Amino acid sequence: MELLKLVTVKEAKEIIEKNISFKPGIEKISILNSLGRILAEDIYAPENVPDFRKSTVDGYAVISSDVFGASESLPAILKLVGEVKIGTEPTLDIMPGECMYVPTGGMLPKSADTVVMIEYTEKLDDETILVNKPAAPFQNIIEIGEDVKKGELILKKGTKLRPYEIGVLSSLGILEVEVYKKVKVGIISTGDEIVDPKEKINKGQVRDINSYLLYSLCLEEGAEPVLYGIVKDDYEKLREKLQAAISECDLVLMSGGSSAGNKDETLRVIGSFENSNIFIHGVAIRPGKPTIVGKVGDKFIFGLPGHPLACAAIFKTLVIHYLDRIKNFEREEYPVECRFAVNYHKAEGRAEFLPISIKEAEGKLIAYPTYYESGLISRFAKSFGYVYIEKELEGISEGQIVKVYKF
Ligand SMILES: Nc1nc2c(c(=O)[nH]1)N[C@H]1C(S)=C(S)[C@@H](COP(=O)(O)OP(=O)(O)OC[C@H]3O[C@@H](n4cnc5c(N)ncnc54)[C@H](O)[C@@H]3O)O[C@H]1N2
Ligand code: MOO
């Protein structure tokens, strides 16, 4: 396979960014359907949360100076003037020397500045409460706007919505949000030996893994995958399928060719469209070297290597980068730090995407490389994640601390 100049992963990402012209559309959806979607608008709080001063305990709303220095031997004696009903505004206020019963979440009477927990009080009679512990000002109280301040930029455009952000939206009464439309991703597997897993398989053939792998990776990334099936190594058929995928989708992922040489078929097919452009033909990464990145009109086409691990590695490094950039999504990753179990030499001149399994030994996390062949899917499934080894490094030494990124 004659590859053009290999670009580094960093260069590949820059080339992808520079050539983005597609912008996903925006749609308004119910927050109940918004899990995992990326916000396409800044959200400012239309009101304070909470918009009343509330108690965080069951107890008595008091004025702190009235209970200053109170103890079991010398309790503060307060007049009970009423009870706050949860969910309603108190109809009374308290004066010095008075208190009012307030449940957890109840609104405080205006002059109260603290709440004494019921455990630290004694009810002498219907009108008299003994307080045997002092309470500092603002103790057991949530102030107006303490959770969210009116006018605050509470969620930024580009935020990925998790259950917690969705909770914030509902607390503000925002029940619909603008998010980026799901990117429609066409998936084409190629290769004479690839068989639909629903069919009988003969010696020399393999069941299609990449369609299923890519489909699931797309779902995980909030995209909308569309399967175009398996295409035999045939220029015309491949061109037909690619044409259909380009016209129906926003992005196309093709995987495999048939060993060395035929990858050029993918290249030739992408290049055969009017307004096509090929930016990358070969990336300095292992696995994943025979990668093609091009564009037809404003639709990106990724020609991914056939080996499932190589295919997934390029999805994780380059396809995800493209998906993030078109949605202004700043991905935050927090890798697990582990001690590397062995001495590992990587291939020269290429960065490496090395699957890892993690074991715990004597309270320490140990990272074991699980990859030796990019065609072995089961090793991949046993891995927790991967270590990314920069192109310039020789490898990793036993005992070295490495960062393991979750799959
Ligand atoms: N002489 C050379 N041979 C190879 C080179 C090279 O530089 N010179 N590179 C190797 C590398 S690295 C890779 S990766 C593969 C990539 O080849 P292709 O992208 O053309 O992919 P195929 O040859 O079609 O497939 C490779 C391998 O993966 C299996 N495969 C393909 N598609 C699927 C699928 N959908 N599901 C499951 N398995 C699939 C296929 O049967 C092959 O076993 O080339 C090396 N060779
Ligand atoms: O890209 Mo290939 O998977 O290095 O074997």
PDB file of all heavy atoms in Angstrom, residues 110-130:
ATOM      1  N   LYS A 110     -39.790  36.511  58.211  1.00  0.00           N
ATOM      2  CA  LYS A 110     -38.864  37.573  57.795  1.00  0.00           C
ATOM      3  C   LYS A 110     -37.724  37.843  58.776  1.00  0.00           C
ATOM      4  O   LYS A 110     -36.559  37.949  58.388  1.00  0.00           O
ATOM      5  CB  LYS A 110     -39.682  38.861  57.610  1.00  0.00           C
ATOM      6  CG  LYS A 110     -39.363  39.554  56.313  1.00  0.00           C
ATOM      7  CD  LYS A 110     -39.996  40.927  56.288  1.00  0.00           C
ATOM      8  CE  LYS A 110     -40.910  41.009  55.073  1.00  0.00           C
ATOM      9  NZ  LYS A 110     -42.163  41.662  55.308  1.00  0.00           N
ATOM     10  N   SER A 111     -38.011  37.930  60.057  1.00  0.00           N
ATOM     11  CA  SER A 111     -36.985  38.370  61.017  1.00  0.00           C
ATOM     12  C   SER A 111     -36.089  37.247  61.534  1.00  0.00           C
ATOM     13  O   SER A 111     -35.104  37.508  62.211  1.00  0.00           O
ATOM     14  CB  SER A 111     -37.650  39.059  62.213  1.00  0.00           C
ATOM     15  OG  SER A 111     -38.404  40.138  61.737  1.00  0.00           O
ATOM     16  N   ALA A 112     -36.430  35.988  61.216  1.00  0.00           N
ATOM     17  CA  ALA A 112     -35.594  34.873  61.701  1.00  0.00           C
ATOM     18  C   ALA A 112     -34.286  34.867  60.916  1.00  0.00           C
ATOM     19  O   ALA A 112     -34.275  35.095  59.713  1.00  0.00           O
ATOM     20  CB  ALA A 112     -36.325  33.555  61.504  1.00  0.00           C
ATOM     21  N   ASP A 113     -33.178  34.618  61.611  1.00  0.00           N
ATOM     22  CA  ASP A 113     -31.905  34.533  60.886  1.00  0.00           C
ATOM     23  C   ASP A 113     -31.191  33.205  61.134  1.00  0.00           C
ATOM     24  O   ASP A 113     -30.078  32.999  60.702  1.00  0.00           O
ATOM     25  CB  ASP A 113     -30.985  35.714  61.227  1.00  0.00           C
ATOM     26  CG  ASP A 113     -30.511  35.676  62.663  1.00  0.00           C
ATOM     27  OD1 ASP A 113     -31.066  34.879  63.460  1.00  0.00           O
ATOM     28  OD2 ASP A 113     -29.586  36.427  63.005  1.00  0.00           O
ATOM     29  N   THR A 114     -31.847  32.280  61.841  1.00  0.00           N
ATOM     30  CA  THR A 114     -31.264  30.958  62.037  1.00  0.00           C
ATOM     31  C   THR A 114     -32.380  29.985  62.428  1.00  0.00           C
ATOM     32  O   THR A 114     -33.499  30.414  62.768  1.00  0.00           O
ATOM     33  CB  THR A 114     -30.153  31.014  63.105  1.00  0.00           C
ATOM     34  OG1 THR A 114     -29.477  29.762  63.149  1.00  0.00           O
ATOM     35  CG2 THR A 114     -30.696  31.318  64.492  1.00  0.00           C
ATOM     36  N   VAL A 115     -32.046  28.690  62.369  1.00  0.00           N
ATOM     37  CA  VAL A 115     -33.026  27.672  62.770  1.00  0.00           C
ATOM     38  C   VAL A 115     -32.345  26.722  63.753  1.00  0.00           C
ATOM     39  O   VAL A 115     -31.232  26.243  63.503  1.00  0.00           O
ATOM     40  CB  VAL A 115     -33.560  26.875  61.550  1.00  0.00           C
ATOM     41  CG1 VAL A 115     -34.585  25.828  61.983  1.00  0.00           C
ATOM     42  CG2 VAL A 115     -34.162  27.817  60.521  1.00  0.00           C
ATOM     43  N   VAL A 116     -33.039  26.459  64.898  1.00  0.00           N
ATOM     44  CA  VAL A 116     -32.512  25.510  65.878  1.00  0.00           C
ATOM     45  C   VAL A 116     -33.157  24.157  65.587  1.00  0.00           C
ATOM     46  O   VAL A 116     -34.383  24.075  65.460  1.00  0.00           O
ATOM     47  CB  VAL A 116     -32.910  25.933  67.316  1.00  0.00           C
ATOM     48  CG1 VAL A 116     -32.284  24.988  68.338  1.00  0.00           C
ATOM     49  CG2 VAL A 116     -32.521  27.360  67.583  1.00  0.00           C
ATOM     50  N   MET A 117     -32.323  23.120  65.480  1.00  0.00           N
ATOM     51  CA  MET A 117     -32.886  21.786  65.186  1.00  0.00           C
ATOM     52  C   MET A 117     -33.750  21.330  66.356  1.00  0.00           C
ATOM     53  O   MET A 117     -33.418  21.583  67.528  1.00  0.00           O
ATOM     54  CB  MET A 117     -31.765  20.782  64.957  1.00  0.00           C
ATOM     55  CG  MET A 117     -31.127  20.935  63.609  1.00  0.00           C
ATOM     56  SD  MET A 117     -30.413  19.389  63.076  1.00  0.00           S
ATOM     57  CE  MET A 117     -28.747  19.637  63.586  1.00  0.00           C
ATOM     58  N   ILE A 118     -34.797  20.607  66.015  1.00  0.00           N
ATOM     59  CA  ILE A 118     -35.777  20.203  67.025  1.00  0.00           C
ATOM     60  C   ILE A 118     -35.142  19.381  68.154  1.00  0.00           C
ATOM     61  O   ILE A 118     -35.553  19.469  69.313  1.00  0.00           O
ATOM     62  CB  ILE A 118     -36.961  19.467  66.336  1.00  0.00           C
ATOM     63  CG1 ILE A 118     -38.147  19.444  67.273  1.00  0.00           C
ATOM     64  CG2 ILE A 118     -36.589  18.082  65.861  1.00  0.00           C
ATOM     65  CD1 ILE A 118     -39.461  19.448  66.568  1.00  0.00           C
ATOM     66  N   GLU A 119     -34.066  18.638  67.827  1.00  0.00           N
ATOM     67  CA  GLU A 119     -33.368  17.815  68.830  1.00  0.00           C
ATOM     68  C   GLU A 119     -32.805  18.643  69.985  1.00  0.00           C
ATOM     69  O   GLU A 119     -32.557  18.121  71.063  1.00  0.00           O
ATOM     70  CB  GLU A 119     -32.179  17.068  68.203  1.00  0.00           C
ATOM     71  CG  GLU A 119     -32.486  16.096  67.105  1.00  0.00           C
ATOM     72  CD  GLU A 119     -32.549  16.723  65.715  1.00  0.00           C
ATOM     73  OE1 GLU A 119     -33.203  17.773  65.564  1.00  0.00           O
ATOM     74  OE2 GLU A 119     -31.972  16.152  64.790  1.00  0.00           O
ATOM     75  N   TYR A 120     -32.529  19.928  69.712  1.00  0.00           N
ATOM     76  CA  TYR A 120     -31.900  20.769  70.749  1.00  0.00           C
ATOM     77  C   TYR A 120     -32.918  21.660  71.457  1.00  0.00           C
ATOM     78  O   TYR A 120     -32.578  22.692  72.006  1.00  0.00           O
ATOM     79  CB  TYR A 120     -30.792  21.632  70.130  1.00  0.00           C
ATOM     80  CG  TYR A 120     -29.764  20.789  69.405  1.00  0.00           C
ATOM     81  CD1 TYR A 120     -29.404  21.069  68.094  1.00  0.00           C
ATOM     82  CD2 TYR A 120     -29.174  19.699  70.050  1.00  0.00           C
ATOM     83  CE1 TYR A 120     -28.485  20.276  67.436  1.00  0.00           C
ATOM     84  CE2 TYR A 120     -28.254  18.906  69.386  1.00  0.00           C
ATOM     85  CZ  TYR A 120     -27.919  19.191  68.088  1.00  0.00           C
ATOM     86  OH  TYR A 120     -27.008  18.410  67.438  1.00  0.00           O
ATOM     87  N   THR A 121     -34.188  21.211  71.407  1.00  0.00           N
ATOM     88  CA  THR A 121     -35.241  22.016  72.052  1.00  0.00           C
ATOM     89  C   THR A 121     -36.134  21.107  72.893  1.00  0.00           C
ATOM     90  O   THR A 121     -36.098  19.878  72.757  1.00  0.00           O
ATOM     91  CB  THR A 121     -36.123  22.705  70.984  1.00  0.00           C
ATOM     92  OG1 THR A 121     -36.820  21.690  70.266  1.00  0.00           O
ATOM     93  CG2 THR A 121     -35.322  23.557  70.029  1.00  0.00           C
ATOM     94  N   GLU A 122     -36.929  21.751  73.705  1.00  0.00           N
ATOM     95  CA  GLU A 122     -37.911  21.013  74.501  1.00  0.00           C
ATOM     96  C   GLU A 122     -39.188  21.853  74.506  1.00  0.00           C
ATOM     97  O   GLU A 122     -39.117  23.080  74.692  1.00  0.00           O
ATOM     98  CB  GLU A 122     -37.373  20.897  75.921  1.00  0.00           C
ATOM     99  CG  GLU A 122     -37.945  19.728  76.690  1.00  0.00           C
ATOM    100  CD  GLU A 122     -37.306  19.669  78.069  1.00  0.00           C
ATOM    101  OE1 GLU A 122     -36.058  19.650  78.152  1.00  0.00           O
ATOM    102  OE2 GLU A 122     -38.061  19.704  79.048  1.00  0.00           O
ATOM    103  N   LYS A 123     -40.325  21.167  74.281  1.00  0.00           N
ATOM    104  CA  LYS A 123     -41.582  21.934  74.272  1.00  0.00           C
ATOM    105  C   LYS A 123     -42.195  21.843  75.661  1.00  0.00           C
ATOM    106  O   LYS A 123     -42.627  20.773  76.081  1.00  0.00           O
ATOM    107  CB  LYS A 123     -42.512  21.325  73.216  1.00  0.00           C
ATOM    108  CG  LYS A 123     -43.672  22.203  72.871  1.00  0.00           C
ATOM    109  CD  LYS A 123     -44.408  21.670  71.655  1.00  0.00           C
ATOM    110  CE  LYS A 123     -45.527  22.615  71.279  1.00  0.00           C
ATOM    111  NZ  LYS A 123     -46.289  22.137  70.136  1.00  0.00           N
ATOM    112  N   LEU A 124     -42.167  22.976  76.361  1.00  0.00           N
ATOM    113  CA  LEU A 124     -42.712  22.966  77.733  1.00  0.00           C
ATOM    114  C   LEU A 124     -44.224  22.884  77.721  1.00  0.00           C
ATOM    115  O   LEU A 124     -44.838  22.100  78.399  1.00  0.00           O
ATOM    116  CB  LEU A 124     -42.286  24.234  78.461  1.00  0.00           C
ATOM    117  CG  LEU A 124     -41.035  24.174  79.359  1.00  0.00           C
ATOM    118  CD1 LEU A 124     -40.997  25.385  80.264  1.00  0.00           C
ATOM    119  CD2 LEU A 124     -40.985  22.898  80.185  1.00  0.00           C
ATOM    120  N   ASP A 125     -44.830  23.755  76.911  1.00  0.00           N
ATOM    121  CA  ASP A 125     -46.271  23.719  76.706  1.00  0.00           C
ATOM    122  C   ASP A 125     -46.568  24.291  75.333  1.00  0.00           C
ATOM    123  O   ASP A 125     -45.630  24.574  74.588  1.00  0.00           O
ATOM    124  CB  ASP A 125     -47.012  24.494  77.820  1.00  0.00           C
ATOM    125  CG  ASP A 125     -46.527  25.927  77.932  1.00  0.00           C
ATOM    126  OD1 ASP A 125     -46.404  26.591  76.871  1.00  0.00           O
ATOM    127  OD2 ASP A 125     -46.232  26.393  79.052  1.00  0.00           O
ATOM    128  N   ASP A 126     -47.827  24.476  74.953  1.00  0.00           N
ATOM    129  CA  ASP A 126     -48.180  24.915  73.600  1.00  0.00           C
ATOM    130  C   ASP A 126     -47.575  26.251  73.206  1.00  0.00           C
ATOM    131  O   ASP A 126     -47.492  26.596  72.031  1.00  0.00           O
ATOM    132  CB  ASP A 126     -49.711  25.023  73.461  1.00  0.00           C
ATOM    133  CG  ASP A 126     -50.304  23.640  73.266  1.00  0.00           C
ATOM    134  OD1 ASP A 126     -49.498  22.683  73.150  1.00  0.00           O
ATOM    135  OD2 ASP A 126     -51.543  23.510  73.261  1.00  0.00           O
ATOM    136  N   GLU A 127     -47.123  27.018  74.196  1.00  0.00           N
ATOM    137  CA  GLU A 127     -46.622  28.368  73.888  1.00  0.00           C
ATOM    138  C   GLU A 127     -45.178  28.583  74.267  1.00  0.00           C
ATOM    139  O   GLU A 127     -44.643  29.670  74.069  1.00  0.00           O
ATOM    140  CB  GLU A 127     -47.485  29.401  74.626  1.00  0.00           C
ATOM    141  CG  GLU A 127     -48.824  29.591  73.988  1.00  0.00           C
ATOM    142  CD  GLU A 127     -49.506  30.848  74.485  1.00  0.00           C
ATOM    143  OE1 GLU A 127     -48.955  31.530  75.379  1.00  0.00           O
ATOM    144  OE2 GLU A 127     -50.592  31.139  73.976  1.00  0.00           O
ATOM    145  N   THR A 128     -44.521  27.534  74.862  1.00  0.00           N
ATOM    146  CA  THR A 128     -43.163  27.762  75.377  1.00  0.00           C
ATOM    147  C   THR A 128     -42.170  26.708  74.885  1.00  0.00           C
ATOM    148  O   THR A 128     -42.398  25.503  75.031  1.00  0.00           O
ATOM    149  CB  THR A 128     -43.167  27.759  76.927  1.00  0.00           C
ATOM    150  OG1 THR A 128     -44.306  28.499  77.377  1.00  0.00           O
ATOM    151  CG2 THR A 128     -41.881  28.338  77.479  1.00  0.00           C
ATOM    152  N   ILE A 129     -41.061  27.211  74.319  1.00  0.00           N
ATOM    153  CA  ILE A 129     -39.996  26.326  73.818  1.00  0.00           C
ATOM    154  C   ILE A 129     -38.705  26.643  74.565  1.00  0.00           C
ATOM    155  O   ILE A 129     -38.335  27.818  74.695  1.00  0.00           O
ATOM    156  CB  ILE A 129     -39.781  26.558  72.298  1.00  0.00           C
ATOM    157  CG1 ILE A 129     -41.060  26.301  71.496  1.00  0.00           C
ATOM    158  CG2 ILE A 129     -38.615  25.728  71.757  1.00  0.00           C
ATOM    159  CD1 ILE A 129     -41.558  24.873  71.512  1.00  0.00           C
ATOM    160  N   LEU A 130     -38.034  25.577  75.041  1.00  0.00           N
ATOM    161  CA  LEU A 130     -36.717  25.759  75.656  1.00  0.00           C
ATOM    162  C   LEU A 130     -35.677  25.379  74.616  1.00  0.00           C
ATOM    163  O   LEU A 130     -35.751  24.321  74.008  1.00  0.00           O
ATOM    164  CB  LEU A 130     -36.548  24.845  76.876  1.00  0.00           C
ATOM    165  CG  LEU A 130     -37.519  25.050  78.037  1.00  0.00           C
ATOM    166  CD1 LEU A 130     -37.127  24.141  79.220  1.00  0.00           C
ATOM    167  CD2 LEU A 130     -37.520  26.504  78.501  1.00  0.00           C
TER     168      LEU A 130
END
